[in-house]
Amino acid sequence: MVRISNFIGVLLVAIVGPLNLWGKAPKVAYDLEMAKEICAGLPLENVEGIWLYPDDNVTVMILNDNEYSGSQLPSYSISVVETSDARLHPGEIIGKLNATVDSYAYKIELSTEKKNDLLLKPKSCIATLSKDGDTFIIKKQKAPFKGRLNFNLNRLLPGFWKIVSIGVSQNNYSNSIQHSVGMVKIFPSYDGNGSSRRKIRYL
């Protein structure tokens, strides 16, 4: 009887264990249609859905992951859906999106390099969600007296991070702010037809 009960115990661990692991794993998609099906079946929050990094032609899916993150503020996983970068693959989780006390400000943390299939060197910035909820705006302040040339062939999302960044020395301090569109939401869209307010729609 002891052997039978031990066998049943091992069998339950083998069955229930993977179910618990799957329950904690973030949802990922391997193509755009699969991502749309996942998002269409969920009660999405404002920032959840399918987004595009326009400068890098990389499509990602953002979904809440508070179930396993343990964070008090909302936390979201950023996973690749489609990409023109051969170093990235659909289904890979490349970063996190974390809410802040400001309802429109979010901390975006993304891996910036990939070596031997490992995503490395996460880097973060603060992005502001637009009032219409379909773009993330990155604010960058011009730095004074700064000159540099950085080049890194392993850099992921170079358009987002600017793979070659050149700072020009300035004689006078500039407080001017540069605004860049970091991400554009493509699903669900504001009109339900995949349109973006940022692009001209031809009838």
Side-chain angles (χ1 to χ4, degrees):
M1 292 295 294
V2 175
R3 288 184 179 179
I4 293 175
S5 62
N6 288 343
F7 173 76
I8 293 174
V10 172
L11 185 62
L12 286 173
V13 170
I15 294 174
V16 176
L19 289 178
N20 288 336
L21 289 174
W22 279 108
K24 292 183 179 180
K27 293 181 174 66
V28 296
Y30 300 96
D31 58 52
L32 189 57
E33 290 307 312
M34 184 179 180
K36 287 181 178 180
E37 287 180 10
I38 291 173
C39 292
L42 295 172
L44 298 178
E45 299 173 35
N46 199 23
V47 297
E48 291 183 288
I50 304 170
W51 294 76
L52 173 70
Y53 289 99
D55 291 338
D56 295 291
N57 196 27
V58 174
T59 304
V60 298
M61 182 169 64
I62 296 179
L63 290 179
N64 188 296
D65 67 359
N66 273 63
E67 181 180 345
Y68 60 91
S69 70
S71 174
Q72 293 182 347
L73 290 171
S75 174
Y76 310 84
S77 63
I78 303 175
S79 61
V80 177
V81 175
E82 292 183 343
T83 175
S84 59
D85 188 337
R87 293 167 298 180
L88 290 173
H89 305 291
E92 283 187 316
I93 296 176
I94 59 172
K96 296 277 188 184
L97 181 71
N98 296 293
T100 68
V101 292
D102 182 339
S103 59
Y104 286 98
Y106 290 81
K107 179 183 176 183
I108 297 178
E109 182 175 315
L110 296 167
S111 298
T112 60
E113 292 188 18
K114 186 175 183 180
K115 292 181 181 179
N116 300 321
D117 289 330
L118 294 176
L119 294 165
L120 307 169
K121 298 184 178 180
K123 185 177 178 182
S124 63
C125 66
I126 297 296
T128 302
L129 184 66
S130 62
K131 299 297 182 182
D132 53 32
D134 63 2
T135 56
F136 270 110
I137 306 298
I138 310 297
K139 294 181 180 179
K140 296 181 180 180
Q141 186 169 15
K142 291 181 180 179
F145 309 107
K146 198 169 187 180
R148 67 183 185 276
L149 174 63
N150 296 326
F151 186 70
N152 189 341
L153 291 176
N154 294 314
R155 181 62 57 89
L156 298 176
L157 298 173
F160 185 82
W161 296 118
K162 302 304 180 188
I163 192 168
V164 177
S165 51
I166 302 173
V168 180
S169 297
Q170 301 172 352
N171 294 323
N172 298 315
Y173 179 74
S174 173
N175 285 317
S176 60
I177 300 293
Q178 296 175 322
H179 295 77
S180 301
V181 176
M183 284 191 284
V184 178
K185 181 181 264 188
I186 60 175
F187 184 89
S189 61
Y190 77 100
D191 63 354
N193 293 315
S195 299
S196 169
R197 291 184 179 90
R198 307 287 162 171
K199 294 182 180 180
I200 297 174
R201 182 179 176 187
Y202 297 98
L203 300 177

